[in-house]
Amino acid sequence: MSDGNQTKMIGKQSVRFQNPPCIIAAASVTGKKEGEGPLGKLFDIVQEDPMLGKNTWEEAESELMKQSSAKVLQKAGLKNTDIRYLVGGDLLGQLIATSFGVSELEIPMLGIYGACSTMGEAMSVGSMLIDGGFADRVLAITSSHFAGAEKQFRFPLDYGNQRPYSATWTVTGSGAVILADRKYLTRSGEPVITIKGITTGKIVDYGIKDSMNMGAAMAPAAYETIKQNLQDFGVEPSYYDKIITGDLGYIGKNILIDMLKENNYDISNNHTDCGIEIFDKDSQDTHAGGSGCGCSAVTFTSYILKQMREGAWKRVLFIPTGALLSQVSFNEGKSVPGIAHAVMVETE
Amino acid sequence: MSDGNQTKMIGKQSVRFQNPPCIIAAASVTGKKEGEGPLGKLFDIVQEDPMLGKNTWEEAESELMKQSSAKVLQKAGLKNTDIRYLVGGDLLGQLIATSFGVSELEIPMLGIYGACSTMGEAMSVGSMLIDGGFADRVLAITSSHFAGAEKQFRFPLDYGNQRPYSATWTVTGSGAVILADRKYLTRSGEPVITIKGITTGKIVDYGIKDSMNMGAAMAPAAYETIKQNLQDFGVEPSYYDKIITGDLGYIGKNILIDMLKENNYDISNNHTDCGIEIFDKDSQDTHAGGSGCGCSAVTFTSYILKQMREGAWKRVLFIPTGALLSQVSFNEGKSVPGIAHAVMVETE
């Protein structure tokens, strides 16, 4: 008997996969506003009706998940029974968008919560399940909905509150990827996109209490995770063609770049943020940018993967960022801790 | 290069570990009522003050987690930096009990949500991380608090609503275990307690809408997971010395036993439920039994592990059960789907 398993741990908080899992399919479903943004033409489905024909915002968000999961299965040519685990979550209390969105799929499910970092957590856990031999194929999925998130975290839309310029706009959308063991890859002529490693974030709390400035609350978490990824793998920022955070927005981006500069890491030339890419700053009135579990998920499954498939980027560090607050914690005067999970996505 | 990883998948939705992870330490912290129950003397810490000296129910629940995580580290003789991942969650929206409870530990964190099945999910994910070589030691932790849960899911305590006899009583408590690769085991003369395998549940929705009868809502999920575990591993119920669900209570227990009997599986002689074990039916006025993320966690980390260490039980199927509702989904008239995650715990 072996005295243990072969370690895939690297550095303080990272994993280097032995047989890097592959992304065999991805799908994105968004709302109308996202469809009108710079990435609009890259989404698989754009829904004009914010209610998606449902009676509540929560049901509408579940419908986004139903559509993104159906679409990704269709694109992969797979059935629900071909998927060993579903790993996913959303922003709503007790993950009800996910529970009611994916229940009909009848896939063994691991519900997760990392606020807007959830897509990074889903892809991290999914990759470990595959590289560990626990699954052949994993569906990683998240969603968010602008109106549902405003109701959950801030005010109902009918209240008509004013949004400060530091506020972000929660993306209405759901993104889904299917991760698979390499042997299930269909050779298509396109580059093989693999998950080379991950860096799992710690909770970072700098004491920021403004839920209307989540970029500032999350930037320190992104900083810690990126720095640790570079240290654990012994690489410089230039190793990556792009370092892409989830939803820091314009304010958080500047804080992140400054914090890394103080540690002699310069990411100013190769950093971007899904929340910045998804909306047009001048014409779409989204203030600091996009946010939400859906923001990084739909940007990854459309724009980022397209750039990688086309060879524009070969190595991407994808770092969805989350703000760990609730309406209750905010009303009780607690701070807004952040967390960020990094996924190393590379083409072969 | 290998064309894939060695599979640990077994049957339709189970995993058999190659190097079964070991439980190297466990700790339980509860409230006063739990301390007065049949298991009271087995808990590591019993807190007389339901507020634990804090200002809010949510902070009190976070404090339960702080104490259980500190206790389990102390019992294992480890520091926070010895733990590679923390996998945990709670019942509160956006997992705020966990976020504020464990942030000071600064351990890379995977937040999870499976309602009251969360301890099963935490131990399942943690075991996969260890057997997969992604971690040496994982801390799995959950909590719940009676008053916080009533506020979150039903009514504030001050409202003084009457509880039907089908209602369960949310346990105030937090349980934590440290899972580790076998090579980190300290030989103590006690039996080695390992996680032999897991069966990850699917969401099961029989359309029950009564949040005051969660045993009935969760029993079908427990039924599906137990049946699948028996089929995937090709064993009869008698393989297990005990089959222990999380918080079905008296009503859910009867439904579960009946459903399995219809499939020719008789668990009536070796089944029990943490929600039944933790309170005294006659004297403690908890109606259908205990419930909550903390119910299965503190029962497992006290009573169940004690029985195993003492040799009374060698093989236990531990199946925490969750009801996937929120106050919003309930108020919007949605059903209460269930989920259950099974963990095969065995002594050597």
Side-chain angles (χ1 to χ4, degrees):
Chain A
M1 196 182 72
S2 151
D3 71 337
N5 305 299
Q6 189 179 346
T7 185
K8 297 156 191 168
M9 299 186 283
I10 174 167
K12 278 192 182 171
Q13 62 196 78
S14 298
V15 162
R16 189 202 302 271
F17 292 115
Q18 200 171 337
N19 294 296
C22 304
I23 296 176
I24 61 166
S28 52
V29 181
T30 72
K32 186 179 174 215
K33 189 180 185 84
E34 292 72 21
E36 291 165 351
L39 311 183
K41 289 189 177 151
L42 304 177
F43 301 131
D44 291 299
I45 301 170
V46 175
Q47 290 289 350
E48 296 292 310
D49 173 12
M51 298 293 283
L52 285 92
K54 302 292 172 184
N55 292 318
T56 68
W57 299 125
E58 292 77 17
E59 287 179 0
E61 187 175 338
S62 292
E63 181 64 24
L64 290 171
M65 280 199 153
K66 273 184 201 176
Q67 296 188 6
S68 71
S69 53
K71 190 73 188 174
V72 79
L73 286 169
Q74 181 208 323
K75 287 173 87 169
L78 296 172
K79 299 187 303 294
N80 57 337
T81 48
D82 296 322
I83 306 294
R84 191 78 181 184
Y85 285 92
L86 185 149
V87 185
D90 62 273
L91 295 177
L92 300 180
Q94 291 78 40
L95 305 189
I96 55 167
T98 306
S99 297
F100 291 101
V102 307
S103 66
E104 287 167 13
L105 289 173
E106 296 186 340
I107 299 170
M109 155 143 179
L110 298 170
I112 59 168
Y113 183 78
C116 305
S117 76
T118 303
M119 194 62 181
E121 184 178 343
M123 289 170 61
S124 296
V125 172
S127 297
M128 289 193 280
L129 298 194
I130 288 169
D131 188 48
F134 309 113
D136 43 10
R137 299 183 195 91
V138 173
L139 174 56
I141 184 168
T142 68
S143 69
S144 55
H145 191 297
F146 171 71
E150 290 295 305
K151 173 179 162 184
Q152 176 79 86
F153 291 101
R154 300 184 185 99
F155 300 99
L157 292 189
D158 298 349
Y159 179 74
N161 74 306
Q162 287 215 326
R163 301 160 51 76
Y165 283 109
S166 61
T168 46
W169 186 280
T170 304
V171 163
T172 298
S174 172
V177 301
I178 296 175
L179 300 162
D181 189 285
R182 181 176 298 268
K183 65 186 163 197
Y184 297 100
L185 195 67
T186 314
R187 303 285 163 179
S188 66
E190 284 185 342
V192 176
I193 298 176
T194 67
I195 312 293
K196 181 172 174 183
I198 58 169
T199 302
T200 301
K202 304 172 178 180
I203 298 175
V204 178
D205 190 350
Y206 277 35
I208 287 167
K209 293 193 175 187
D210 183 358
S211 76
M212 293 290 189
N213 190 357
M214 296 205 294
M218 297 186 291
Y223 157 73
E224 294 281 356
T225 299
I226 293 170
K227 187 183 66 168
Q228 201 60 53
N229 176 270
L230 298 171
Q231 288 176 359
D232 286 350
F233 285 89
V235 296
E236 291 296 316
S238 59
Y239 173 85
Y240 296 105
D241 298 312
K242 279 283 173 186
I243 294 175
I244 309 177
T245 43
D247 55 354
L248 295 184
Y250 295 96
I251 292 172
K253 175 189 170 78
N254 289 337
I255 297 171
L256 171 66
I257 288 174
D258 286 350
M259 290 181 82
L260 282 166
K261 259 192 193 144
E262 282 172 20
N263 279 264
N264 300 314
Y265 290 120
D266 184 359
I267 66 163
S268 58
N269 288 322
N270 57 349
H271 173 261
T272 190
D273 181 76
C274 300
I276 290 174
E277 297 290 341
I278 196 166
F279 292 124
D280 184 78
K281 192 181 184 182
D282 299 321
S283 69
Q284 290 198 291
D285 195 29
T286 49
H287 297 350
S291 64
C293 281
C295 178
S296 58
V298 302
T299 303
F300 182 80
T301 52
S302 59
Y303 177 58
I304 297 174
L305 285 181
K306 175 178 175 285
Q307 293 289 91
M308 298 191 77
R309 275 194 301 264
E310 293 177 353
W313 304 333
K314 286 186 164 37
R315 293 170 179 162
V316 167
L317 188 65
F318 175 54
I319 317 112
T321 36
L324 300 170
L325 82 162
S326 79
Q327 204 171 40
V328 173
S329 72
F330 176 75
N331 286 339
E332 289 177 355
K334 305 287 281 186
S335 60
V336 181
I339 195 162
H341 299 300
V343 183
M344 298 168 79
V345 191
E346 303 197 3
T347 55
E348 288 179 358
Chain B
M1 196 181 71
S2 151
D3 70 338
N5 305 298
Q6 189 180 348
T7 186
K8 296 156 191 169
M9 299 186 282
I10 175 167
K12 278 192 181 170
Q13 61 195 79
S14 298
V15 162
R16 190 203 301 270
F17 293 115
Q18 200 171 338
N19 295 296
C22 303
I23 296 176
I24 61 167
S28 52
V29 181
T30 72
K32 185 179 175 212
K33 188 179 185 83
E34 292 72 20
E36 292 166 351
L39 312 182
K41 288 190 178 151
L42 304 177
F43 301 130
D44 291 299
I45 301 170
V46 174
Q47 290 289 350
E48 297 291 310
D49 173 11
M51 298 294 282
L52 284 91
K54 302 292 171 183
N55 293 318
T56 68
W57 299 125
E58 291 78 17
E59 287 179 0
E61 187 175 338
S62 292
E63 181 64 23
L64 290 171
M65 278 200 154
K66 273 185 203 177
Q67 295 189 6
S68 70
S69 52
K71 190 73 188 175
V72 79
L73 286 169
Q74 180 208 324
K75 286 173 87 170
L78 296 172
K79 299 187 305 292
N80 58 337
T81 49
D82 296 321
I83 307 294
R84 190 80 182 182
Y85 285 92
L86 184 149
V87 185
D90 62 273
L91 295 177
L92 300 180
Q94 292 78 42
L95 306 188
I96 55 168
T98 307
S99 297
F100 292 100
V102 306
S103 66
E104 286 167 15
L105 289 172
E106 297 186 341
I107 299 170
M109 155 143 180
L110 298 170
I112 59 168
Y113 183 78
C116 306
S117 75
T118 302
M119 195 63 180
E121 184 178 344
M123 290 169 62
S124 296
V125 172
S127 297
M128 290 192 280
L129 298 194
I130 287 169
D131 188 48
F134 309 112
D136 43 9
R137 300 184 195 90
V138 173
L139 174 57
I141 185 168
T142 68
S143 68
S144 55
H145 191 296
F146 171 72
E150 290 294 305
K151 172 179 162 185
Q152 175 80 84
F153 292 101
R154 301 185 185 98
F155 300 99
L157 291 188
D158 297 349
Y159 178 74
N161 74 307
Q162 287 216 326
R163 302 160 50 77
Y165 282 108
S166 61
T168 46
W169 185 280
T170 305
V171 163
T172 297
S174 172
V177 301
I178 295 175
L179 300 162
D181 189 285
R182 182 177 298 266
K183 65 186 163 196
Y184 297 101
L185 196 66
T186 314
R187 304 285 162 179
S188 65
E190 285 186 342
V192 176
I193 297 176
T194 66
I195 312 292
K196 181 172 174 183
I198 58 169
T199 302
T200 300
K202 304 173 178 179
I203 299 175
V204 178
D205 190 350
Y206 278 33
I208 287 166
K209 294 193 174 187
D210 183 358
S211 76
M212 294 289 189
N213 190 356
M214 296 206 295
M218 296 185 290
Y223 156 72
E224 294 282 356
T225 299
I226 293 170
K227 187 182 66 168
Q228 200 61 52
N229 176 271
L230 298 171
Q231 288 176 359
D232 286 350
F233 286 89
V235 296
E236 292 296 316
S238 58
Y239 173 84
Y240 296 106
D241 297 312
K242 279 283 171 185
I243 295 175
I244 309 177
T245 44
D247 55 354
L248 296 184
Y250 294 97
I251 292 173
K253 174 189 171 79
N254 289 336
I255 297 172
L256 170 65
I257 288 174
D258 287 349
M259 290 181 82
L260 283 166
K261 258 192 194 145
E262 284 172 18
N263 278 264
N264 300 314
Y265 288 121
D266 184 0
I267 66 163
S268 57
N269 288 323
N270 57 348
H271 173 261
T272 190
D273 181 76
C274 299
I276 290 174
E277 298 289 342
I278 196 166
F279 292 123
D280 184 78
K281 191 181 185 182
D282 298 323
S283 69
Q284 288 197 291
D285 195 29
T286 49
H287 297 349
S291 64
C293 281
C295 178
S296 57
V298 302
T299 304
F300 181 80
T301 51
S302 59
Y303 176 58
I304 298 174
L305 285 180
K306 174 177 176 285
Q307 292 290 92
M308 297 191 79
R309 275 194 301 265
E310 293 177 353
W313 304 333
K314 285 187 164 39
R315 294 169 178 163
V316 167
L317 188 65
F318 175 54
I319 315 113
T321 36
L324 300 171
L325 82 162
S326 80
Q327 204 172 40
V328 173
S329 72
F330 176 74
N331 287 338
E332 289 177 353
K334 305 287 282 185
S335 59
V336 181
I339 195 162
H341 299 300
V343 183
M344 296 168 81
V345 192
E346 303 196 4
T347 55
E348 288 178 358

